[in-house]
Amino acid sequence: MCGIVGYVGEKQALEVVVGGLRRLEYRGYDSAGVAVVADGELDVRKKAGKLANLESLLGEDPLPGSTTGIGHTRWATHGGPTDANAHPHVSADGKVAVIHNGIIENFAELRAELTAAGVVLASETDTEVVAHLLASVLPATGHDLAESMRAVCRRLEGAFTLVAVQADVPDVVVGARRSSPLVVGRGDGENFLASDVTAFIAHTRHAIELGQDQVVELTRDSVTVTNFDGTPATVHAYEVTWDAAAAEKGGYDTFMSKEIAEQPKAVADTLLGRIGADGLLHLDEMRVTDTDLREVDKVVVIACGTAYHAGMVAKYALEHWTRIPCEVELASEFRYRDPVVDRRTLVVAISQSGETMDTLMALRYAREQGARVLAICNTQGSTIPRESDAVLYTRAGPEVAVASTKAFLTQIVACYLVALYVAQVRGNKFGDEIGSVVRDLANMPRKIDLVLDTAEDVKALAAQLQDSRSVLFIGRHVGFPVALEGALKLKELAYMHAEGFAAGELKHGPIALLEEGVPVIVVVPSPRGRSVLHEKIVSNIQEVRARGARTIVIAEEGDESVVPYADHIVRVPQCPTLLQPLLAVVPLQVFACAMATAKGHDVDQPRNLAKSVTVE
Ligand code: AGP
C-alpha cells in the first residue's frame, strides 16, 4: 500500500499535500515525494525514508508557490526504497509527473518498448513507465491529460491507482483507479484526491468513492469521472463521518481488525503476476536459477513466532509437492544446535519485518555453512532480504498491528508459490496438477472473504469465554500449526494461558489439563480426501468432550459428523486440505482480537511486545 494525495484549489498545494501525507504515512514509509505545477514547470522533491526526510529536503530546497500538486508515501514493491525509486516519477521531457499505488503486471514489456524507443529510464519502478507513456500520448490528445490517462490505462494490466499532473496545463489533477483505493474530496473552490479520506477530512467531508476502471479529472471547481473507455461513469458520493484517527484505520476500531479484513486482498496481491495464463508459476524475481533448485536436497525454514507457524504449514505442502525433505526451525535455536547445512541446502528465512535479529543471525550462520538463502519478506529493502541470495516478497502492505495476521496468510501463500515452482522446475508435478493447485489458490481470496462473515458470531463467542482461565487449541496435519498460531494470538493479545497441540498428542499427557468447561478449539480437516485425519480428529473431539471440555469446532461447510460433539461450530468454505490454513486461522484471529477488546487491552500494541524484535 502507498499513500497518495492530489490537490487543486486556492490554498498552497504543498501545505495541503504534505499534511495529507502525514495522515497516510501508516500506509508506507519507504520514501516520500511531492510535485507542484508552477509557471509552466513541474517542480519535484523526493527522498528515501520517512516523510520527515522529505520535509527536511523541502526546508533546504523549497518548492515555488503553487495551487496544484500531488504527493506520495511509498511502500516499495518494485525497486528498493531509494531516492531514484521514490515517487513522483517524471517523463523524460519533464512535462508529466505521476504517483502510483499498486502493481503494474505488464511493466516489463512496457519498459522494453520505451527503451527500444530510446527512452532512458531513471528508476527500477513499474510506475515510471506510466509517466513516459502519458507524455508520449499527450500531443495526440491535445494535451488532454484525462484522455491521455484513459488511453494509457487501457494498456495497463494489474492493480493500480495513478494520479498525474502536467506542466503545460496547471489547475488540473487527473487520477485513475483499478483495484487499489482512490477517493475524491469535494471542497468549495478546491478538490482533493487521496488513497483514503484521512488525507483530506481536515478540509472537507464530502467524498466520492471511485469505481473500477475509472478516470477522474479535477479542477478547482469541477469533478469529472469517466470509465476507461471515456463513457460517463456512475459514482458513489457520501459524507465522511469518521474522525481522522478512525479514518487511518479505514473506519475499523483497530489496525488489527483492519488488517484481518485486508487478508483477501493481501492474498490476491501476493498471487498477482506470479501465475501465468498457462497456469504455470513465473517467479523470475526470485533470482534463484533452475539449476540451483534442481541441486537442492534439503530445505530448512528458519523463522520466529507467527512466521515460524507459516513455515510449519509450508513444510506439509513443500514435501508433498516437491518430495524434498523440509525441516522447520526456530531461528533462535537453529544456529546453536550445530545443524547439518551445506551448499545443497535451501534455507528459507520467513519474516514480515525483515529485521528480526534471531532470523537474521540464523541466516548469516546458514550462509557461512554454504547454504543458499531465500527470504520470504513483506518489507522491501529490509536487512533479511538484503542479506539473502534471493527474495520473494509478500504483498500484504504495511502490517501496523503487532499481532501478525495478513502477513501470516501471505507468507503461507508465498511459500506455496515457491514449493509449486520448485516442483515445476524439478518436474515432480505435472502441469495439470500444478494448474489445479494454482486454480484453487486463486479462489482463496473469495473464500477468505466468506470466512470474514463469521466474525460477529466469533466475537460473541469470545465474550462468552472471556473469563476462561485457559484455552486449548488442537489440530492435525496443517491444522496443527494453525492451532499453535491460534494459541499465540490469544496469548499475545488477551494475555491468557493458551496452548496449541497436535491432537494426537493429547492422550500422551495434555489431556490431564481437561476439566469441566475448559474451552478446546478444534481445527477440523476436510472430510473429503484425507478422511483418516478427519476420523481421528472427530475421535479427539469426543475424547475432550467426554472430559467436560467445551468444544468449539472450526469445520468446513457440509461436515455434519462434528455436529453431535460440538458446543459451537464455526464454518469455513470447502477447500483442499493443504490450503485450509488460509481459512481456518481467520476465526482464531478474530477470536483473539475480540477477546483482547473485551478485556480492554491495547489490541494494536499489546504489553511487552514489539512489531519487530531487533534484538536476540
Ligand atoms: C506474531 O503475531 C508476533 N508479532 C511475532 O510472533 C512475529 O511473528 C515474530 O516476531 C516474527 O516477526 P517477523 O515476521 O517480522 O520476523
Side-chain angles (χ1 to χ4, degrees):
M1 284 194 302
C2 300
I4 280 183
V5 183
Y7 176 76
V8 57
E10 294 149 2
K11 299 184 179 94
Q12 279 304 307
L14 181 63
E15 186 184 323
V16 174
V17 168
V18 171
L21 293 181
R22 276 194 210 100
R23 307 288 327 169
L24 296 179
E25 198 170 13
Y26 75 89
R27 295 175 64 87
Y29 30 77
D30 291 330
S31 62
V34 292
V36 297
V37 183
D39 306 327
E41 297 294 326
L42 275 181
D43 280 280
V44 178
R45 301 288 184 278
K46 56 186 188 175
K47 194 69 184 165
K50 291 188 176 294
L51 183 58
N53 293 2
L54 174 66
E55 292 180 287
S56 302
L57 175 63
L58 288 165
E60 296 155 12
D61 182 9
L63 283 168
S66 167
T67 58
T68 304
I70 58 177
H72 185 268
T73 56
R74 184 172 183 238
W75 181 263
T77 53
H78 287 77
T82 62
D83 292 357
N85 289 335
H87 301 210
H89 288 282
V90 180
S91 56
D93 62 6
K95 294 292 187 183
V96 177
V98 178
I99 53 180
H100 166 221
N101 177 25
I103 296 153
I104 296 171
E105 274 187 61
N106 60 331
F107 92 96
E109 68 188 73
L110 296 171
R111 269 182 84 101
E113 180 188 304
L114 289 163
T115 305
V119 175
V120 177
L121 289 110
S123 77
E124 304 164 296
T125 67
D126 51 349
T127 310
E128 188 188 349
V129 302
V130 176
H132 298 305
L133 290 173
L134 282 172
S136 69
V137 300
L138 265 176
T141 63
H143 286 274
D144 179 333
L145 189 56
E147 181 53 33
S148 302
M149 181 67 85
R150 284 189 286 269
V152 170
C153 285
R154 290 194 290 268
R155 298 194 59 199
L156 303 182
E157 295 167 17
F160 50 84
T161 292
L162 297 164
V163 174
V165 288
Q166 68 166 313
D168 295 340
V169 181
D171 293 332
V172 174
V173 175
V174 170
R177 179 192 183 279
R178 172 182 286 169
S179 301
S180 290
L182 187 62
V183 60
V184 176
R186 292 210 62 163
D188 181 6
E190 59 183 8
N191 287 306
F192 307 76
L193 269 178
S195 315
D196 71 44
V197 297
T198 314
F200 57 66
I201 56 174
H203 304 278
T204 179
R205 289 177 176 273
H206 310 305
I208 297 174
E209 183 78 40
L210 294 179
Q212 190 71 339
D213 286 12
Q214 290 185 349
V215 166
V216 59
E217 180 182 44
L218 300 188
T219 66
R220 58 179 64 192
D221 298 312
S222 67
V223 175
T224 309
V225 185
T226 67
N227 298 305
F228 280 3
D229 64 7
T231 55
T234 52
V235 290
H236 164 59
Y238 64 98
E239 291 303 303
V240 181
T241 56
W242 301 324
D243 63 28
E248 269 188 38
K249 299 171 189 132
Y252 291 92
D253 295 337
T254 62
F255 276 111
M256 183 180 178
S257 47
K258 175 173 176 281
E259 288 154 12
I260 289 172
E262 287 173 340
Q263 293 184 116
K265 183 175 184 314
V267 168
D269 283 352
T270 300
L271 291 168
L272 202 62
R274 291 165 165 167
I275 300 167
D278 53 7
L280 297 179
L281 280 303
H282 299 276
L283 299 185
D284 308 346
E285 63 195 282
M286 243 180 10
R287 295 199 323 272
V288 180
T289 67
D290 291 357
T291 307
D292 290 345
L293 291 176
R294 290 192 187 98
E295 285 177 0
V296 169
D297 65 2
K298 177 166 75 171
V299 174
V300 177
V301 178
I302 53 175
C304 304
T306 290
Y308 170 74
H309 298 149
M312 287 180 71
V313 172
K315 170 191 170 75
Y316 292 89
L318 193 133
E319 289 192 338
H320 179 68
W321 290 329
T322 70
R323 309 315 296 156
I324 301 173
C326 175
E327 298 165 12
V328 187
E329 299 264 358
L330 288 171
S332 55
E333 289 291 316
F334 173 70
R335 67 193 180 106
Y336 299 111
R337 69 168 188 78
D338 194 13
V340 176
V341 171
D342 62 28
R343 55 179 296 284
R344 300 188 66 184
T345 307
L346 176 65
V347 169
V348 178
I350 305 176
S351 176
Q352 188 286 131
S353 63
E355 300 298 345
T356 299
M357 191 53 71
D358 286 326
T359 308
L360 177 59
M361 299 309 283
L363 88 77
R364 285 178 180 166
Y365 176 86
R367 297 200 73 199
E368 286 161 11
Q369 306 305 309
R372 287 186 191 86
V373 178
L374 166 67
I376 303 273
C377 186
N378 194 46
T379 309
Q380 281 260 352
S382 55
T383 308
I384 286 173
R386 213 170 42 238
E387 295 201 14
S388 299
D389 296 294
V391 57
L392 186 69
Y393 282 108
T394 52
R395 296 173 182 155
E399 188 176 67
V400 177
V402 166
S404 188
T405 52
K406 60 179 183 173
F408 178 64
L409 264 62
T410 58
Q411 287 161 355
I412 293 172
V413 169
C415 289
Y416 286 162
L417 290 173
V418 171
L420 288 166
Y421 184 74
V422 172
Q424 177 179 291
V425 165
R426 294 165 65 110
N428 301 83
K429 292 288 175 185
F430 303 106
D432 54 347
E433 283 181 85
I434 292 172
S436 161
V437 177
V438 157
R439 281 189 297 277
D440 289 332
L441 268 177
N443 286 327
M444 295 313 285
R446 178 179 57 80
K447 294 187 174 183
I448 297 165
D449 231 351
L450 294 174
V451 181
L452 291 171
D453 293 342
T454 67
E456 289 315 308
D457 174 44
V458 173
K459 288 174 185 174
L461 179 66
Q464 291 168 25
L465 298 174
Q466 64 177 295
D467 298 327
S468 305
R469 280 188 313 112
S470 174
V471 179
L472 308 187
F473 296 75
I474 63 173
R476 284 183 179 262
H477 197 263
V478 287
F480 169 36
V482 173
L484 295 176
E485 175 59 12
L488 175 62
K489 285 283 147 315
L490 199 60
K491 280 181 245 189
E492 63 178 335
L493 288 157
Y495 317 152
M496 291 169 74
H497 173 256
E499 199 159 346
F501 301 100
E505 270 298 287
L506 274 177
K507 55 189 176 297
H508 298 290
I511 204 163
L513 286 170
L514 292 185
E515 52 196 28
E516 192 60 33
V518 170
V520 177
I521 298 179
V522 189
V523 180
V524 178
S526 169
R528 300 163 299 115
R530 303 178 67 92
S531 59
V532 63
L533 282 174
H534 184 266
E535 288 160 20
K536 298 289 185 193
I537 203 113
V538 172
S539 303
N540 298 137
I541 299 174
Q542 295 175 56
E543 286 161 18
V544 299
R545 193 93 179 299
R547 291 163 177 80
R550 178 168 180 173
T551 51
I552 295 104
V553 171
I554 315 287
E556 79 173 24
E557 295 294 352
D559 180 357
E560 295 309 311
S561 54
V562 298
V563 173
Y565 318 109
D567 293 304
H568 194 101
I569 299 178
V570 179
R571 292 291 183 184
V572 295
Q574 293 183 354
C575 79
T577 299
L578 284 174
L579 306 191
Q580 199 208 41
L582 298 174
L583 305 180
V585 77
V586 175
L588 309 187
Q589 296 167 339
V590 172
F591 181 78
C593 184
M595 190 70 87
T597 304
K599 289 173 174 289
H601 295 170
D602 183 339
V603 171
D604 289 333
Q605 297 181 339
R607 69 185 183 194
N608 308 337
L609 296 179
K611 184 57 186 169
S612 177
V613 183
T614 55
V615 293
E616 273 200 288

